[in-house]
């Protein structure tokens, strides 16, 4: 299966990253403003994420933030990338999305993941353990059952029951099989581990069980895409996120994003340097022409119907310019929103 660049949907996942010296409130307001730009540029959907107790991320309540975004926009689909289902009771998730769909009919997506808290402290605060993720397939089935009217207790999801809120499974590795067995679209990344990505997509397609909503597999690949006037400028957009990830893996705390100029002068340990450089390798970045070529290869290899762009950087103006350039690369326009 192959997909051309111009026939592919492009969407945005924004994690409400906090910038050094700025507040979480500013990050959240910037996310809402960014969603307006994404709609103007013609991106298909705009998703927000769930993180708890992370110093560098303000997005902790994705359904609340999704409501603010949907209220501030008119056409673009809005959803979660995702709600971490093991952290919540499926009934509550069904009710939350029932409220969103009631308020913004035909525009809401329900992206669902299987992760639990990043640290032991966060997991204790949530009342969840690592083993909660082991029954993700069961939690997913229960959640979908609330929309379908099934109830082991006689309780009904109000609102929620009878609504058709598109569901997506965020997965890595084995999670692809959960999406396949449920007959749901797969959202998978990242671009750096291309062999693992392709293997997971192949497993998903091979095991896919057609459902009433999705008779065929649907693949959305997620990752960083940075576009600038020069290759070096595009690479610099990646530095803040690469350093934050290296910091998190060596010190256990994901920090606010720092300016690229400051990162250039940092003294890193050998381990930090290794992780930092690893975070820069394999990403999609460059000029518009270079990124177009890289995306064509990615789409040919994966056959993905959609690309979910997750790029973060310190400089918001440069980030917005990157998404503008990418919109030109992908030939996006102001098409009307359509369902999955």
């Amino acid at each position: 299966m192959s997909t051309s660049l111009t026939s592919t949907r492009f969407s945005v996942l924004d994690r409400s990253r906090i910038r050094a010296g700025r507040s979480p409130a500013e990050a959240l307001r910037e996310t809402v403003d960014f969603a307006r730009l994404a709609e103007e540029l013609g991106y298909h959907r705009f998703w927000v994420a769930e993180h708890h107790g992370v110093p560098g991320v303000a997005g902790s309540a994705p359904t609340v933030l999704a409501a603010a975004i949907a209220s501030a926009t008119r056409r673009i689909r809005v959803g979660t990338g995702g709600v971490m289902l093991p952290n919540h009771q499926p009934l509550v998730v069904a009710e939350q999305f029932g409220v969103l769909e009631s308020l913004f009919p035909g525009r809401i997506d329900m992206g669902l993941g299987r992760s639990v808290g990043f640290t032991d402290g966060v997991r204790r605060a949530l009342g969840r353990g690592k083993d909660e993720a082991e029954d993700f397939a069961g939690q997913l089935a229960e959640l979908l059952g609330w929309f379908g009217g099934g109830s082991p207790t006689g309780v009904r999801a109000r609102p929620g029951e009878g609504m058709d809120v598109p569901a997506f499974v965020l997965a890595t590795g084995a999670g692809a099989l959960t999406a396949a067995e449920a007959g749901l679209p797969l959202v998978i990344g990242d671009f750096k581990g291309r062999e693992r990505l392709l293997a997971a997509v192949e497993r998903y397609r091979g095991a896919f069980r057609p459902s009433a909503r999705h008779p065929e597999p649907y693949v959305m690949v997620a990752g960083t895409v940075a576009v600038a006037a020069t290759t070096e400028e595009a690479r610099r957009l990646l530095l803040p996120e690469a350093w934050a990830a290296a910091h998190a893996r060596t010190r256990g705390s994901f920090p606010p994003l720092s300016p690229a100029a400051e990162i250039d002068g940092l003294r890193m340990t050998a381990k930090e340097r290794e992780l930092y450089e690893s975070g820069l390798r394999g990403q999609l970045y460059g000029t518009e022409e270079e990124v177009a070529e890289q995306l064509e290869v990615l789409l040919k290899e994966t056959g993905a119907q959609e690309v979910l762009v997750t790029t973060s950087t310190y400089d918001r103006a440069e980030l917005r310019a990157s998404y503008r350039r990418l919109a030109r690369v992908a030939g996006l326009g102001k098409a009307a929103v359509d369902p999955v």
Side-chain angles (χ1 to χ4, degrees), residues 32-249:
V32 176
D33 188 55
F34 186 31
R36 295 191 189 99
L37 175 66
E39 179 175 74
E40 174 190 329
L41 295 175
Y43 286 92
H44 184 62
R45 54 183 115 242
F46 191 97
W47 283 4
V48 292
E50 175 182 345
H51 296 275
H52 299 284
V54 180
V57 180
S60 58
T63 54
V64 177
L65 185 53
I69 292 166
S71 182
T73 55
R74 295 184 297 114
R75 301 181 307 275
I76 194 168
R77 297 194 65 85
V78 177
T80 58
V83 165
M84 297 299 116
L85 197 50
N87 292 339
H88 310 279
Q89 291 297 331
L91 170 61
V92 175
V93 176
E95 291 171 336
Q96 289 175 345
F97 280 95
V99 170
L100 286 170
E101 179 65 18
S102 297
L103 294 172
F104 310 101
R107 291 181 57 204
I108 300 301
D109 295 327
M110 184 170 59
L112 306 163
R114 67 188 297 272
S115 297
V116 289
F118 181 62
T119 65
D120 288 338
V122 170
R123 289 190 289 272
R124 288 196 300 270
L126 292 171
R128 296 292 189 267
K130 288 184 178 180
D131 57 344
E132 299 287 344
E134 298 304 315
D135 189 34
F136 177 61
Q139 297 159 355
L140 178 62
E142 181 182 342
L143 171 61
L144 297 178
W146 289 113
F147 287 99
S151 171
T153 64
V155 175
R156 302 293 180 183
R158 305 183 191 278
E161 183 176 318
M163 291 183 173
D164 184 16
V165 182
F168 301 74
V169 174
L170 282 64
T172 56
L177 294 179
T178 301
E181 291 168 359
L184 293 176
L186 172 69
V187 184
I188 189 163
D190 58 49
F191 302 154
K192 293 185 296 180
R194 191 65 59 88
E195 289 186 7
R196 293 192 301 273
L197 171 65
L198 296 177
V201 169
E202 184 177 354
R203 286 197 300 273
Y204 166 72
R205 289 202 174 100
F208 187 82
R209 297 177 182 174
S211 62
R213 187 177 294 171
H214 296 283
E216 297 180 354
Y218 188 94
V219 175
M220 189 190 311
V221 290
T224 296
V225 183
V227 196
T230 68
T231 306
E232 182 55 31
E233 287 175 9
R235 184 180 183 277
R236 285 183 65 80
L237 291 176
L238 307 178
L239 303 189
E241 187 76 17
W243 166 243
H247 185 286
R249 293 184 63 183

Side-chain angles (χ1 to χ4, degrees), residues 19-40:
R19 273 73 187 171
R22 303 183 69 177
S23 70
E26 288 176 286
L28 293 169
R29 287 193 290 268
E30 287 170 346
T31 290
V32 176
D33 188 55
F34 186 31
R36 295 191 189 99
L37 175 66
E39 179 175 74
E40 174 190 329

